[in-house]
Amino acid sequence: MVCQASRGRSVPLPFPTRLTAPLLDGELVRLEPLEHRHAADLAIAAEENRTSYRFTWMPTAGEVSDYIDAQLARAAAGSLMPSAQVAKASGRAVGATAYWDPRLWPDRDELCALEVGFTWLAASAQGSGLNTETKFLLFAHAFEQWQVARVDLKTDARNKRSRAAIERVGAQFEGVLRCWSRSWAPNEEGLLRDSAMYSILASEWPACRARLQTRLAKGH
């Protein structure tokens, strides 16, 4: 297969040389570049029910400041664009997400692919439609503004909840890469996990966009 960029715009927006997440505004959520001013809200969000995040890197309240430092260090190194998920109803940050692992077209200073990941959300905001809209905003910006050829998503292969959520947004399962990335599961420090890999291609984005809009219109 030979892949091309999305054709939503005649000229793609330039990809930033210094990685800062774009400000993206929806009906339910506003995605803001992650900063330490979000720390107090995220500390509260992180202390809600944590059972759905057994396989996810999610800080405790006392770890939030170090967590933000780590994400900003990744941004400075050119590998990550972290965002806070701010619930518009309350104005409070209730989770975080990121673009990361950006890849450029061969011999061109234009983005061809990246991943959406490092996502976690307070238990009280789960199932509210907020995370669905977050994915919609991130995908739309990537495909329609940067004109990427693909967006990647991956999760611990054992994480059935996360895999189901990824499949609901319309991403296609590509397989499991064994011992692929760091495990975040309890008592697995320093070990590698099997990662379930998914993607959305530019040619698949219109159908995915329609699916997400339908879900948002139904409130989930």
Side-chain angles (χ1 to χ4, degrees), residues 97-179:
T97 190
Y99 287 125
W100 80 294
D101 190 22
R103 285 102 69 197
L104 301 181
W105 288 99
D107 303 318
R108 287 159 56 184
D109 292 328
E110 295 176 8
L111 188 69
C112 73
L114 78 176
E115 183 168 334
V116 168
F118 284 98
T119 302
W120 63 272
L121 192 64
S124 60
Q126 295 174 25
S128 66
L130 191 148
N131 197 50
T132 300
E133 188 175 63
T134 290
K135 293 297 192 294
F136 176 82
L137 293 171
L138 291 170
F139 295 161
H141 190 83
F143 285 115
E144 298 170 15
Q145 304 301 319
W146 287 328
Q147 294 192 23
V148 299
R150 64 176 276 149
V151 169
D152 311 332
L153 303 100
K154 71 173 181 286
T155 189
D156 192 305
R158 299 167 294 181
N159 193 341
K160 295 179 181 179
R161 178 189 178 102
S162 178
R163 293 181 66 169
I166 291 172
E167 290 164 6
R168 282 197 299 272
V169 303
Q172 299 298 307
F173 177 57
E174 296 186 328
V176 173
L177 296 180
R178 298 175 299 167
C179 293

Side-chain angles (χ1 to χ4, degrees), residues 53-55 183-189:
Y53 285 101
R54 177 171 176 250
F55 299 105
S183 174
W184 299 104
N187 303 315
E188 293 185 2
E189 292 79 5

